[in-house]
Amino acid sequence: MTYIRETCGCCDCEKRCGPLDIVFVIDSSESIGYTNFSLEKNFVINVVSRLGSIAKDPKSETGARVGVVQYSHKGTFEAIQLNDKRIDSLSSFKEAVKKLEWIAGGTWTPSALQFAYETLIKESRRDKAQVFAVVVTDGRHDPRDKDSNLQALCDGNVVVNAIGIGDMFNVDEESETLKAIACNDQERVQRMKVFTDLVAEEFLDKIEIELCPDPQIVCPELPCQTELSVTQCIQRPVDIVFLLDGSERIGSQNFRRAHGFIEAVAEHLPLARSDSDDMNARIALLQYGNEDEHDIVFPLTYNITDITDRLAKIKYLDSSSNIGSAIIYAVNNLVINTQDRQKAARRNAELSFVFITDGITSNKNLEEAIDSMKKQNVMPTTVALGSDVDMDVLLKISLGDRSAIFREKDYLSLSQPDFFDRFVRWIC
């Protein structure tokens, strides 16, 4: 596919926040509970997802490095180090955070802050990096712990944000504890009633601005191109496999919008006259969920009536997401269709995979899936919707081609004429 999406250098820009070292200190005590601990982890991931590129090398003078300390009672602290060589992308960071397990013990907040400074910041901070700490807790610490360590982060030129969750922080004594953690800067103290407030868009926006107030936006220098340099579908064979994310993150309303978009594309494209037609397009749709959930809504077909009928009967999986397994399943059951050779990909056809996803998925089988796509000479296109996306995964499934990623703000964009026209011209 030689058509370059018309951009004039305006698409797929990258946000850069300069050299940042950020340490999250999150409460993993018994009072937190498993659900709230999961919300803390989601908060960390969501914030980091907004901060642009993670340093590929922990010794790099640019990019963000992120560490995490989860704490409970004395001696139970666990850390993701700032200088961990394995953390070289947003995906690897997310994977490390997701592996943290709720400790469910006591609350030794002062010692945890001292641990964060001594173990993560003091020896490994970069000279030119601005250092931030974000502390999340739900209550008073164990009285055996030293109050003096509440300000353990304050002597090292670290900007500390303290977040207290629950009614306890309405008490003056506990309010002073938060203020002490934030190095007596009241503007760096945030009180919340419930843990779900951590992942509210408004609060995430606020934290993003505090951590990265002056981002640099770097856009690729792609040339303007006003004419298509690709032969239209009517003059060449194209087999298009849609892989539709059926995970719970999507929601039933957005899921309906997505399969409505696929139906509109099918009605717009010049479809083949038969399975053996050497020209024109055929379309298949696979909805995927977790590792073992794959729904072939329809195999590669030219029959618009069959496409419409099957889309009308589609059922939303409302599951988790494993895109690697979905790719492998699509290759084995749609591209290489041993059950029905007529429905397999045509030998002379351009084979295209269209992913409709935010990229938030399990990484299991992903590398194997990418290899499988390459072996079949798949031309990938990714439609990424919403602000919370995993760009590392999107780039992987797009085989590193940023121009093949369509970033849109929400699922309503799928029905906008401008987007629809750009997509159809790109895919065909």
Side-chain angles (χ1 to χ4, degrees):
M1 187 180 291
T2 57
Y3 167 56
I4 297 177
R5 186 161 18 128
E6 183 179 346
T7 62
C8 301
C10 65
C11 69
D12 298 319
C13 297
E14 181 182 8
K15 177 179 180 179
R16 295 179 184 174
C17 294
L20 295 177
D21 283 348
I22 306 168
V23 175
F24 291 87
V25 184
I26 57 176
D27 192 335
S28 187
S29 61
E30 185 176 11
S31 60
I32 294 290
Y34 178 80
T35 299
N36 289 335
F37 181 66
S38 296
L39 285 169
E40 286 183 312
K41 293 196 293 182
N42 287 339
F43 162 69
V44 171
I45 290 172
N46 283 335
V47 171
V48 175
S49 298
R50 291 165 168 250
L51 299 180
S53 59
I54 283 183
K56 298 293 184 184
D57 183 340
K59 296 180 181 179
S60 172
E61 293 185 357
T62 60
R65 298 189 312 169
V66 189
V68 181
V69 172
Q70 72 151 331
Y71 72 93
S72 185
H73 50 278
K74 187 176 182 180
T76 59
F77 310 147
E78 297 179 7
I80 298 171
Q81 296 286 347
L82 279 171
N83 58 358
D84 190 335
K85 294 181 179 179
R86 295 168 296 180
I87 308 297
D88 59 359
S89 66
L90 182 58
S91 293
S92 57
F93 175 74
K94 286 182 177 180
E95 189 173 348
V97 172
K98 289 176 181 178
K99 287 181 179 178
L100 294 175
E101 296 185 0
W102 177 41
I103 299 172
T107 309
W108 287 63
T109 306
S111 292
L113 298 174
Q114 183 183 37
F115 175 86
Y117 181 72
E118 296 290 341
T119 308
L120 274 72
I121 297 174
K122 185 177 180 180
E123 299 299 330
S124 65
R125 67 184 300 169
R126 294 173 293 177
D127 291 338
K128 297 180 180 180
Q130 187 166 8
V131 184
F132 288 91
V134 180
V135 183
V136 183
T137 183
D138 77 334
R140 66 173 61 93
H141 57 272
D142 192 298
R144 293 170 292 178
D145 208 356
K146 296 180 180 179
D147 284 350
S148 59
N149 285 331
L150 284 171
Q151 295 197 319
L153 298 172
C154 298
D155 295 331
N157 195 25
V158 179
V159 179
V160 185
N161 291 273
I163 304 170
I165 304 174
D167 295 335
M168 184 172 292
F169 293 105
N170 292 329
V171 179
D172 288 343
E173 181 182 354
E174 301 307 325
S175 180
E176 287 301 312
T177 296
L178 280 182
K179 186 177 177 182
I181 292 172
C183 308
N184 298 319
D185 185 349
Q186 190 64 47
E187 293 185 357
R188 294 284 177 178
V189 173
Q190 179 74 38
R191 297 176 185 82
M192 296 180 173
K193 291 184 178 180
V194 291
F195 276 82
T196 51
D197 291 343
L198 276 174
V199 291
E201 285 293 319
E202 184 178 353
F203 180 64
L204 291 173
D205 290 342
K206 178 181 177 182
I207 287 291
E208 178 185 356
I209 292 171
E210 289 181 0
L211 298 180
C212 184
D214 299 305
Q216 180 185 10
I217 306 300
V218 180
C219 298
E221 294 182 1
L222 298 178
C224 285
Q225 185 165 321
T226 57
E227 296 182 1
L228 300 180
S229 59
V230 67
T231 309
Q232 296 296 312
C233 288
I234 198 169
Q235 298 174 20
R236 78 192 208 285
V238 180
D239 283 340
I240 304 168
V241 178
F242 284 89
L243 290 92
L244 176 58
D245 190 337
S247 66
E248 61 185 354
R249 287 175 53 85
I250 304 303
S252 58
Q253 188 174 24
N254 285 335
F255 182 76
R256 286 194 296 272
R257 289 170 178 149
H259 71 69
F261 165 71
I262 294 169
E263 183 173 1
V265 171
E267 291 173 344
H268 188 86
L269 293 181
L271 296 178
R273 297 180 180 86
S274 68
D275 286 321
S276 58
D277 189 350
D278 287 335
M279 296 295 173
N280 306 316
R282 295 190 308 166
I283 297 177
L285 172 58
L286 173 70
Q287 179 192 180
Y288 66 91
N290 65 32
E291 187 176 0
D292 300 316
E293 284 186 300
H294 307 107
D295 173 25
I296 296 179
V297 183
F298 49 86
L300 283 164
T301 182
Y302 60 91
N303 190 327
I304 188 63
T305 302
D306 190 37
I307 291 172
T308 303
D309 289 347
R310 296 201 186 196
L311 281 171
K313 298 174 183 177
I314 191 172
K315 292 184 178 180
Y316 173 40
L317 289 176
D318 192 15
S319 180
S320 56
S321 173
N322 187 310
I323 201 167
S325 295
I327 292 170
I328 294 169
Y329 189 88
V331 168
N332 292 337
N333 294 276
L334 292 172
V335 178
I336 308 170
N337 190 340
T338 57
Q339 302 297 320
D340 187 349
R341 297 287 185 183
Q342 285 286 90
K343 297 298 183 183
R346 293 170 289 181
R347 287 187 178 182
N348 63 331
E350 178 183 294
L351 179 59
S352 177
F353 277 16
V354 178
F355 300 96
I356 302 179
T357 180
D358 56 12
I360 309 297
T361 181
S362 166
N363 284 326
K364 187 176 181 180
N365 302 324
L366 186 55
E367 295 303 325
E368 179 187 351
I370 300 305
D371 289 340
S372 182
M373 286 173 62
K374 291 178 179 177
K375 288 178 182 177
Q376 297 298 324
N377 295 316
V378 171
M379 303 291 295
T381 299
T382 302
V383 180
L385 302 157
S387 59
D388 184 16
V389 300
D390 189 330
M391 198 62 191
D392 287 331
V393 170
L394 298 181
L395 277 170
K396 283 184 178 180
I397 62 177
S398 301
L399 302 183
D401 184 2
R402 286 183 177 272
S403 65
I405 302 174
F406 286 74
R407 288 288 306 275
E408 298 297 329
K409 64 179 181 179
D410 53 36
Y411 279 78
L412 288 171
S413 303
L414 294 174
S415 61
Q416 296 301 311
D418 177 63
F419 166 76
F420 188 85
D421 181 58
R422 284 190 296 116
F423 174 81
V424 170
R425 286 191 296 157
W426 168 264
I427 204 68
C428 196

